[in-house]
Amino acid sequence: MTTEVTAPSITGEVLPADRFQLHESEGALDIERVLDVLNGRLAAYRVRHFVPAAQCATLTRNFWDSPHRTPRYGEGAEGIEAHILGASHIDLSTRDYLEAAADAREAVAALYDGAWDPIARLREALAERIGVVRPAGHDGREAGPSKAVCWNNDSREFLLLPHDDLAQLSDPLQAGFEIQRVRRVMAVNVYPHVPGGRGQLRLWNIAPDDRSRARLGLSHSGYPYPPELLTGHASLTVPVATGDLCVINGNLVHAVLGGGSAAERGRLLLTCFTGLVDDEVLCWT
């Protein structure tokens, strides 16, 4: 059960202390812990060295060698500076996102030339327990399998400011898209490259409610929550490293920590959002 909490400017649901935890394993995937995150019984689960070093090197090389890698530059203190391979649904209509996903499908497949797809392996394991695991769809078209992202603004306090993942799935631009039926997001992250000591995840034990998002002007973005408004909420850090797989409760506010130097190519992430539709179908976008 979740309980209601009231804090200055951000209200919502919190996990009981025994659920707001990070579970870790080495190498092998513990599918029960993944299901715990998916169903809101655990904040985060990390598999250390899920992807072998040689595979990580191949994925990283393929990313930087790809002619389809796109730079994305933000503006001002809240901007995101990144390189992206694959389609992102953020700020796009359902039609435009699904067309972008179709256009990027071959480029994403080429990312895995000479390597295996760790997100696909996770989905295979989940399918053995859930039954139906598939991309979110709309009018016969499907979401992309994943995307690869590298933020290159390591010198800031945050590579990515505090945010939640559920809000951005409610964008009216994507009305009718199947993923909007998800009520709890499990973010899937795989790390082919993490510079030492940088790019760690920070989670806060608060899943903001609609009232808080509206008050902060974040109703359909969930980004960014002012860090100073999170000081009253318990937090934990996930110390991700090269080769790790991490799944997190994406309804909780979370951020990516920076603090390094931009001299070294930064944290490379393979990612997608997943969630249950009607408690029996796992979809992703």
Side-chain angles (χ1 to χ4, degrees), residues 73-81 151 153 156 158-161 223:
Y73 298 102
E75 296 180 357
E78 296 178 358
I80 302 170
E81 298 180 3
W151 287 285
N153 55 352
R156 298 179 181 177
F158 295 102
L159 291 182
L160 190 61
L161 286 161
Y223 176 90

Side-chain angles (χ1 to χ4, degrees), residues 61-223:
R61 182 174 60 253
N62 288 350
F63 175 80
W64 288 109
D65 288 348
S66 174
H68 303 286
R69 173 174 50 82
T70 303
R72 171 180 168 181
Y73 298 102
E75 296 180 357
E78 296 178 358
I80 302 170
E81 298 180 3
H83 295 267
I84 299 176
L85 178 59
S88 171
H89 67 277
I90 297 174
D91 295 331
L92 294 182
S93 68
T94 302
R95 176 180 178 179
D96 287 345
Y97 163 65
L98 293 174
E99 287 181 353
D103 291 343
R105 201 168 302 276
E106 290 186 7
V108 173
L111 177 67
Y112 300 103
D113 285 349
W116 46 268
D117 182 342
I119 293 181
R121 291 200 176 188
L122 172 63
R123 290 172 181 152
E124 291 168 2
L126 284 167
E128 293 179 0
R129 298 295 303 275
I130 295 174
V132 181
V133 177
R134 57 172 173 76
H138 182 74
D139 286 345
R141 292 178 294 179
E142 297 182 340
S146 59
K147 62 180 179 289
V149 183
C150 179
W151 287 285
N152 59 352
N153 55 352
D154 282 2
S155 58
R156 298 179 181 177
E157 179 183 1
F158 295 102
L159 291 182
L160 190 61
L161 286 161
H163 61 283
D164 81 86
D165 296 335
L166 183 63
Q168 60 187 265
L169 298 186
S170 68
D171 193 330
L173 284 171
Q174 297 181 4
F177 189 24
E178 185 176 29
I179 202 67
Q180 293 200 334
R181 295 164 61 190
V182 166
R183 301 271 61 84
R184 181 183 296 109
V185 178
M186 181 177 75
V188 178
N189 298 330
V190 177
Y191 302 92
H193 179 66
V194 180
R198 304 202 290 276
Q200 313 301 290
L201 294 176
R202 173 74 51 80
L203 280 71
W204 287 267
N205 193 8
I206 181 68
D209 54 26
D210 291 340
R211 180 175 57 184
S212 292
R213 293 192 192 99
R215 186 165 57 244
L216 294 169
L218 309 178
S219 292
H220 302 300
S221 67
Y223 176 90

Side-chain angles (χ1 to χ4, degrees), residues 12-45:
E13 292 185 339
V14 300
L15 295 179
D18 62 346
R19 294 187 182 181
F20 187 64
Q21 302 287 336
L22 167 66
H23 185 88
E24 297 183 283
S25 63
E26 180 75 28
L29 179 70
D30 184 343
I31 198 64
E32 294 298 332
R33 301 292 79 78
V34 177
L35 293 171
D36 283 343
V37 176
L38 179 66
N39 289 291
R41 299 188 293 265
L42 185 65
Y45 169 50

